[in-house]
Amino acid sequence: MSTAAHADSHDDHDHKPHGWRRWVYATNHKDIGTMYLVFSGCMFFVGGMFAEGIRAELFKPGMQLFDPQFFNSLTTMHGLVMIFGVIMPSFVGLANWMIPMQVGAPDMALPRLNNFSFWILPFAFTLLLSSFFVPGGAPAGGWTMYPPLTLQTGASFPMLIFSIHLMGASSILGAINVIVTIMNMRAPGMTLLKMPMFVWSWLITAYLLIAVMPVLAGAVTMQLTDHYFGTTFFTAAGGGDPVMFQHIFWFFGHPEVYIMILPAFGIVSEIIPTFSRKPLFGYEAMVYAIASIAFLSFIVWAHHMFTVGMPLAAQLFFMLSTMLIAVPTGVKIFNWAATMWHGSLSFEPPMLFALAFVFLFSIGGFSGLMLAMVPADYQYQDTYFVVAHFHYVLVTGALFGIMAAIYYWLPKWTGHMYDLKLGTWHFWLSTIFVNVLFFPQHFLGLAGMPRRIPDYAVQFTDWNMVSSIGAFGFGLSQFLFLYLIIKCVRGGVRADSRVWEGAHGLEWELTSPPPFHSWSTPPSAAVIAHGAEH
């Protein structure tokens, strides 16, 4: 073999795959993280389109655009796509990008499993979304999939169940990978209580995922056997109990809510210290607060079910344990406030989104306390008050956390600085419109407007119009975000020392610092002096 031919064959074996192969066969944590984020971005616009359809129908009373069955399909698919297709993959993408770098690992522990856990998702959502085109239409029983509602959806039912299984498998594999990476691949000297907060929040989230995703899988499999194999787990006529499904579902569903918010807590705990130029106040308390929230999330599930007729003792237990979650959550809020106290604050887009998160997530927390009260919950149950509550938690909570993270880390990922003015515009438009969208829904719910209905009494018209205008404004402002990201990835101003040494550059030195020898560069004299002062 000639030297040139040998060199060619050597190149064929050793050079990195490029083009489509780079992505299909990806085992690099950054490439896989990017694919997760791009996938969740696409799903964000799909799920958002469903939401805009819902708000367009509700702009005024009467049936305008859709028949009731299709409207119910929209609410169902909006919930499933946003939860399993947007929030969770976004956080897994951020975990893939950041956890190896934050713990000093060369990659995720199980790179091929990582590739597999991503590629399950496009197939799962192709299956789910194609259910719109089968006889009987898309599932219309709500994202909670309560029997007997879900059983009536015809041919889309098995597609729904199988896609849920695939999403669950993807989540479990991703969670295993996160745990193994964090536990086995930390840099020398990085003990657990020296890890950045984002890593801690994901470690705890990963354990939650492994604990609860199989519970959902069991519940939907029992529904499948009820439908096709003659079992009667949830069929009252055969001695089954539809309320049992609710218990099993919410035993998954409530920790799931915390799976979607804990990584955002970690992100905000990284951003606020950076832009306050101060170490995080009460680092260990924050870690224990996240762990407490995760533990308590397992014993509060039936607060979603106060109206099913459970015994008074059970109602009392679930009411009190739900209110108990406010304690560690309050610890986190106060610690973020204390971090900013006497800090040297600067208000770039990541900090703006983190601050909006703290304020608006707290609104969702307070309305959650209201919903925890059994006698009051009888009035709120299944009204738009509940819709307002969980959207304050999941949009201004989880979604704003994701946006904050993208603004925070995008210059590190791309080497380019995004347009700060456009980022600030995106923040203000999103924050104003998200409140115009969801705050009036509290009033609608308190006035008695039920959720998941396509038509309503005329006295609810005004606030519905306001809410729908907010929805259209919020949706349109996300195209600005898309433009900003594409512009940043394609080029623009190089991320200079301002990014690395300015507001963004203090990240490694201020949030739970690793030991000196694992810093890529020694800390500056100013930072050491700053630490000595405090």
Side-chain angles (χ1 to χ4, degrees):
M1 191 185 217
S2 71
T3 311
H6 182 77
D8 282 350
S9 70
H10 185 72
D11 283 350
D12 285 346
H13 285 104
D14 279 9
H15 82 292
K16 289 182 180 167
H18 54 83
W20 61 269
R21 283 186 176 80
R22 171 185 170 183
W23 303 102
V24 173
Y25 300 136
T27 49
N28 179 307
H29 70 101
K30 296 176 184 177
D31 284 351
I32 294 171
T34 302
M35 291 198 295
Y36 268 111
L37 289 167
V38 169
F39 173 78
S40 65
C42 296
M43 287 293 113
F44 178 49
F45 285 97
V46 172
M49 188 175 65
F50 296 154
E52 300 295 350
I54 293 165
R55 286 313 322 168
E57 176 60 62
L58 294 173
F59 187 76
K60 58 182 187 179
M63 302 299 297
Q64 273 75 243
L65 304 170
F66 312 122
D67 63 88
Q69 174 78 7
F70 188 78
F71 181 87
N72 288 343
S73 292
L74 282 182
T75 57
T76 302
M77 297 294 273
H78 167 70
L80 289 168
V81 166
M82 286 300 192
I83 289 168
F84 294 107
V86 179
I87 304 292
M88 291 169 72
S90 294
F91 282 135
V92 178
L94 293 169
N96 264 295
W97 253 103
M98 298 312 300
I99 287 175
M101 296 200 282
Q102 289 192 325
V103 301
D107 202 306
M108 294 294 277
L110 307 160
R112 293 186 184 219
L113 190 74
N114 206 8
N115 175 290
F116 184 52
S117 68
F118 169 75
W119 279 111
I120 292 172
L121 282 179
F123 291 97
F125 280 91
T126 303
L127 189 65
L128 182 65
L129 294 171
S130 58
S131 65
F132 275 109
F133 307 105
V134 300
W143 83 274
T144 51
M145 302 172 284
Y146 285 177
L149 298 174
T150 302
L151 298 174
Q152 295 161 358
T153 52
S156 64
F157 175 73
M159 299 168 78
L160 168 71
I161 302 298
F162 188 43
S163 66
I164 293 284
H165 274 300
L166 289 173
M167 297 166 204
S170 170
S171 294
I172 291 168
L173 297 178
I176 290 168
N177 215 342
V178 166
I179 291 171
V180 177
T181 305
I182 295 171
M183 288 306 200
N184 292 351
M185 298 181 71
R186 298 194 303 282
M190 182 177 276
T191 60
L192 286 176
L193 282 173
K194 283 181 180 156
M195 299 194 308
M197 281 302 305
F198 180 64
V199 179
W200 255 118
S201 67
W202 242 111
L203 180 63
I204 291 166
T205 302
Y207 279 111
L208 283 182
L209 275 167
I210 289 174
V212 301
M213 292 312 288
V215 176
L216 176 66
V220 295
T221 305
M222 284 149 77
Q223 274 203 296
L224 197 73
T225 60
D226 274 9
H227 199 49
Y228 292 108
F229 297 101
T231 59
T232 53
F233 293 113
F234 309 127
T235 311
D241 183 2
V243 174
M244 180 172 75
F245 177 86
Q246 295 190 31
H247 278 290
I248 301 169
F249 179 86
W250 286 115
F251 188 79
F252 145 81
H254 198 80
E256 167 67 20
V257 176
Y258 288 94
I259 286 163
M260 291 189 282
I261 201 69
L262 292 183
F265 286 170
I267 288 160
V268 170
S269 302
E270 305 263 337
I271 290 173
I272 287 178
T274 300
F275 291 89
S276 305
R277 315 297 199 285
K278 270 181 65 188
L280 182 66
F281 181 89
Y283 168 81
E284 287 195 25
M286 293 294 251
V287 172
Y288 296 133
I290 292 184
S292 310
I293 290 167
F295 170 73
L296 290 171
S297 74
F298 281 102
I299 58 168
V300 298
W301 76 88
H303 67 209
H304 297 266
M305 305 166 49
F306 283 148
T307 56
V308 302
M310 67 176 86
L312 190 61
Q315 290 185 338
L316 200 61
F317 169 80
F318 286 110
M319 176 171 81
L320 295 174
S321 58
T322 301
M323 294 168 76
L324 198 60
I325 286 197
V327 177
T329 310
V331 167
K332 299 189 74 60
I333 303 281
F334 284 122
N335 282 13
W336 289 325
T339 304
M340 292 183 276
W341 185 253
H342 284 295
S344 172
L345 273 66
S346 64
F347 298 102
E348 283 93 348
M351 183 61 159
L352 290 171
F353 273 102
L355 286 172
F357 172 95
V358 174
F359 281 106
L360 299 175
F361 172 77
S362 298
I363 293 175
F366 284 125
S367 60
L369 268 178
M370 294 169 69
L371 288 160
M373 311 271 186
V374 173
D377 186 76
Y378 272 82
Q379 311 302 318
Y380 305 135
Q381 173 76 15
D382 271 333
T383 69
Y384 260 81
F385 189 86
V386 180
V387 178
H389 155 70
F390 69 73
H391 281 93
Y392 265 91
V393 173
L394 290 178
V395 179
T396 63
L399 190 63
F400 272 29
I402 291 162
M403 288 174 176
I406 289 170
Y407 278 118
Y408 187 43
W409 285 319
L410 198 61
K412 282 183 165 56
W413 296 342
T414 62
H416 302 127
M417 191 59 200
Y418 49 81
D419 187 324
L420 278 169
K421 185 175 279 187
L422 274 185
T424 309
W425 266 102
H426 171 241
F427 165 75
W428 283 111
L429 288 169
S430 294
T431 304
I432 290 165
F433 280 121
V434 84
N435 284 293
V436 174
L437 164 55
F438 293 119
F439 207 81
Q441 295 181 5
H442 292 104
F443 311 146
L444 288 168
L446 294 175
M449 180 175 164
R451 58 193 279 210
R452 290 182 182 168
I453 53 157
D455 191 8
Y456 53 84
V458 288
Q459 67 262 34
F460 302 129
T461 307
D462 292 350
W463 285 124
N464 267 301
M465 282 187 167
V466 172
S467 183
S468 290
I469 289 165
F472 304 145
F474 183 73
L476 287 171
S477 54
Q478 300 324 305
F479 286 99
L480 188 61
F481 188 41
L482 179 66
Y483 169 73
L484 187 143
I485 292 172
I486 292 170
K487 184 180 165 192
C488 178
V489 170
R490 291 182 64 168
V493 184
R494 284 206 65 72
D496 59 6
S497 58
R498 243 174 1 108
V499 175
W500 311 106
E501 292 166 17
H504 300 254
L506 292 176
E507 176 193 355
W508 305 110
E509 294 157 8
L510 286 189
T511 63
S512 59
F516 276 18
H517 63 74
S518 68
W519 271 334
S520 52
T521 54
S524 61
V527 170
I528 293 172
H530 184 89
E533 283 171 26
H534 291 273

